[in-house]
Amino acid sequence: MPPDNNFVSRLSGGITIALNLLSSFSGSMIVSANGTLSSPSTLTAVNSNLSSTNTSVAIVRFSIAAPTGATTLMTMPLQAGPFSSSVFGSYVVPPGLAINLTVSGSLSVGGLLASTAYFAWWEV
């Protein structure tokens, strides 16, 4: 029997700045529900229960653009560097629905900027 829901346990990632000609930096993390990704690519979900042969029912996609038409659930400002937020199942994702994590940053003058975003979840 496939799992009924996905429970998000941790949101993490970061913003890295290199070759900085910085005059100001701003960063944010946005958690949203549903929405549409433009030109998404699919990633394979990793099962951390090494004794299980079950595969995840979650479909993991990523895009370089933020989702459109999504409902914002949480917004948090970020500093440059890593972040981690334990949400311990506060976000429940039923089959057919989506949760999005957007990590973005901007520099006012110039430099190289990279952002990463990670979800950890369990399925019941």
Side-chain angles (χ1 to χ4, degrees):
M1 179 174 189
D4 292 328
N5 291 302
N6 291 304
F7 297 84
V8 177
S9 60
R10 180 177 301 274
L11 309 169
S12 60
I15 299 175
T16 304
I17 301 172
L19 298 175
N20 184 6
L21 304 173
L22 180 65
S23 66
S24 71
F25 165 80
S26 66
S28 67
M29 172 187 80
I30 299 171
V31 178
S32 59
N34 300 312
T36 302
L37 291 176
S38 49
S39 302
S41 296
T42 302
L43 297 170
T44 303
V46 176
N47 183 345
S48 296
N49 181 353
L50 301 179
S51 65
S52 174
T53 58
N54 293 342
T55 57
S56 175
V57 297
I59 299 170
V60 182
R61 293 186 180 109
F62 73 95
S63 175
I64 60 169
T68 57
T71 301
T72 299
L73 305 173
M74 179 178 75
T75 301
M76 185 168 59
L78 294 177
Q79 298 292 327
F83 74 90
S84 180
S85 177
S86 296
V87 293
F88 303 112
S90 297
Y91 299 109
V92 180
V93 185
L97 297 182
I99 190 163
N100 313 299
L101 176 58
T102 304
V103 176
S104 61
S106 65
L107 300 171
S108 64
V109 174
L112 299 175
L113 186 136
S115 62
T116 56
Y118 302 96
F119 273 106
W121 70 91
W122 74 89
E123 299 175 350
V124 177

